[in-house]
Amino acid sequence: MWHIKEPIQLPETMRQARGYHYLNNSFRPLWLEGLRVAHELLDLHEEENGNETYYQDSFGADYIAALADPQFNTANIVFDGETDPAMAHLHRINQPAWQAFKNAQESLKLAPRGAIALLNSEGRRHIRIHAGDGYISECRTMRTSGPKPSVREIQECLLSYEGYLARCQAKEERTILSNFARLRDLNLQPGQTIRDVELTHNGKRSKISFTIQSISATGFLSLADGVLRGSRNRFTATVAACPRFTRRHDHHRDA
């Protein structure tokens, strides 16, 4: 599979949303469009700013501006009133405020994506938004006191988080593609023994040898029988094919 060179060529299971389950269902086309936008923004940022950090506040605003989402423009408040969203005590189940909360939740599930319930309880706002496919987001990052936020502010809060998920996924895909490129270049295969790989550790140069036990679908190598020259220790490790993406530290044990 190391012939893969573009994110869109990656297997479907590698491109699934992590964090919002509804994006894997009927909103999958939207998720893929979000990923396309995330890659586009990262490419543009790299072209204009090199390796400079792309902060989430800036990325989120750029993502919202670039992602045309026709399913997220309802500007609809389904409920705005007093409720009891605490859900901590079963004896509240028959109280009007609890029933109001329950009804608001159920109404949201039937409303279009982007519909909102503003739940006011003891002077604090608890925001719920229909994110799609009957999934209700609590929009935890929105303020819960002070002036009532606008519908668009709440929607942008959720879209910004979707942008965060898309950016994380895009970076993961870039890691995988770098691993694939390295595997193509080196033609590494399970069972190969690699000897005398130069390693800089604690300011000293050493050489290690190891056997490739297996290669994951994302291009990570499971190494066994590792030997550090001049040491009596053996190690196993999981590392990326492309060195700068190494995930896990070596696990040492006595020989």
Side-chain angles (χ1 to χ4, degrees):
M1 64 187 303
W2 316 126
H3 66 279
I4 293 175
K5 297 180 180 180
E6 299 292 336
I8 58 173
Q9 296 176 304
L10 290 169
E12 182 175 319
T13 53
M14 288 187 189
R15 310 206 75 201
Q16 290 179 353
R18 291 170 173 80
Y20 274 1
H21 64 83
Y22 70 89
L23 287 172
N24 290 334
N25 301 318
S26 63
F27 283 89
R28 180 165 176 76
L30 173 62
W31 173 244
L32 293 177
E33 173 63 9
L35 276 183
R36 186 194 67 77
V37 168
H39 278 291
E40 188 177 85
L41 290 174
L42 290 170
D43 286 338
L44 182 61
H45 180 78
E46 185 175 331
E47 181 181 329
E48 295 180 349
N49 303 283
N51 293 325
E52 182 182 321
T53 303
Y54 201 171
Y55 290 103
Q56 177 57 30
D57 288 347
S58 300
F59 185 91
D62 291 343
Y63 183 85
I64 292 169
L67 180 63
D69 182 0
Q71 300 176 82
F72 216 140
N73 58 6
T74 56
N76 180 27
I77 296 180
V78 170
F79 180 90
D80 185 358
E82 295 290 331
T83 67
D84 181 2
M87 297 186 289
H89 304 291
L90 292 178
H91 70 267
R92 294 182 178 180
I93 195 165
N94 293 320
Q95 293 181 0
W98 169 254
Q99 290 297 327
F101 168 75
K102 226 173 118 183
N103 292 337
Q105 289 271 73
E106 291 305 312
S107 296
L108 269 182
K109 291 179 181 179
L110 301 176
R113 171 172 159 85
I116 289 161
L118 296 173
L119 316 176
N120 197 338
S121 174
E122 299 178 349
R124 295 178 65 84
R125 299 186 187 280
H126 302 262
I127 299 164
R128 301 291 189 273
I129 183 168
H130 183 209
D133 280 6
Y135 181 81
I136 307 300
S137 170
E138 296 186 25
C139 280
R140 292 180 180 273
T141 56
M142 289 297 297
R143 60 181 181 270
T144 56
S145 60
K148 181 168 73 174
S150 70
V151 168
R152 191 58 193 166
E153 283 179 314
I154 300 171
Q155 290 175 330
E156 287 185 353
C157 174
L158 183 60
L159 281 174
S160 180
Y161 184 64
E162 290 183 5
Y164 168 75
L165 293 176
R167 185 179 68 162
C168 291
Q169 177 66 27
K171 286 186 173 182
E172 177 71 13
E173 290 180 355
R174 287 162 180 251
T175 299
I176 293 169
L177 293 176
S178 294
N179 289 343
F180 283 12
R182 188 69 169 164
L183 288 165
R184 282 195 303 270
D185 292 343
L186 298 178
N187 194 30
L188 298 178
Q189 301 292 334
Q192 284 182 324
T193 297
I194 311 297
R195 301 187 186 280
D196 294 333
V197 177
E198 192 167 276
L199 170 73
T200 301
H201 181 65
N202 291 335
K204 297 180 181 179
R205 287 190 175 183
S206 303
K207 290 188 177 181
I208 61 173
S209 301
F210 52 81
T211 298
I212 301 175
Q213 193 172 48
S214 63
I215 303 178
S216 74
T218 53
F220 280 81
L221 313 179
S222 293
L223 310 180
D225 300 324
V227 181
L228 180 64
R229 181 179 286 182
S231 170
R232 298 182 61 187
N233 291 333
R234 298 291 185 270
F235 70 86
T236 60
T238 300
V239 301
C242 187
R244 67 191 181 95
F245 293 118
T246 298
R247 263 187 184 166
R248 301 177 190 170
H249 297 293
D250 298 345
H251 302 285
H252 294 270
R253 65 179 186 270
D254 290 335

